[in-house]
Amino acid sequence: QVQLVESGGGLVQAGGSLRLSCAASGRTFSSYAMGWFRQAPGKEREFVAAIGSGGSTYYADSVKGRFAISRDNAKNTVYLQMNSLKPEDAAVYYCAAKTRPVYSGVYLRVDQYDSWGQGTQVTVSS
């Protein structure tokens, strides 16, 4: 497992933007598949976006066109740029890493990831 630390959450008005960051430990970050998930009160944790070790990306339909996931392997960091935020985007956002085994694709299920951050709260006011 690796340690993941998210940052960048906060309160934003509907239509606004936030950028979440997730800093990872480990010397082989470039080989990890990374993902962002979110969990609203009373709901299950759900997939938001993923990026593979080769840079391929995938998004949940609910955020496609508004969110963008990216990674900077030199900084061991993955980002989630969130634009045009809606009240329904409010949740605790979690960063996740799949460290082994990893192929070049993306992973969409919670149980495919072996490391998780502590989460960062995103609140969207209407």
Side-chain angles (χ1 to χ4, degrees):
Q1 289 190 348
V2 300
Q3 291 192 346
L4 303 172
V5 179
E6 302 103 331
S7 61
L11 172 64
V12 64
Q13 287 189 334
S17 299
L18 281 175
R19 188 176 82 154
L20 306 182
S21 299
C22 172
S25 64
R27 297 182 178 180
T28 57
F29 174 79
S30 61
S31 70
Y32 304 160
M34 302 297 296
W36 285 97
F37 291 75
R38 67 188 181 188
Q39 188 167 17
K43 296 188 176 181
E44 291 188 355
R45 193 167 298 189
E46 65 174 4
F47 169 78
V48 175
I51 187 165
S53 58
S56 56
T57 60
Y58 194 85
Y59 298 92
D61 287 344
S62 60
V63 307
K64 201 172 295 182
R66 300 188 297 122
F67 291 11
I69 188 171
S70 61
R71 65 190 300 160
D72 185 337
N73 291 334
K75 296 182 178 180
N76 279 21
T77 300
V78 64
Y79 304 96
L80 185 68
Q81 177 67 44
M82 305 186 295
N83 299 325
S84 302
L85 281 160
K86 304 175 181 180
E88 53 263 42
D89 294 318
V92 177
Y93 282 71
Y94 296 91
C95 173
K98 178 175 173 57
T99 64
R100 59 187 182 279
V102 179
Y103 306 102
S104 61
V106 294
Y107 299 86
L108 311 186
R109 299 198 319 263
V110 170
D111 63 359
Q112 292 177 307
Y113 290 86
D114 51 72
S115 300
W116 292 84
Q118 81 288 352
T120 185
Q121 178 72 51
V122 171
T123 304
V124 184
S125 63
S126 57

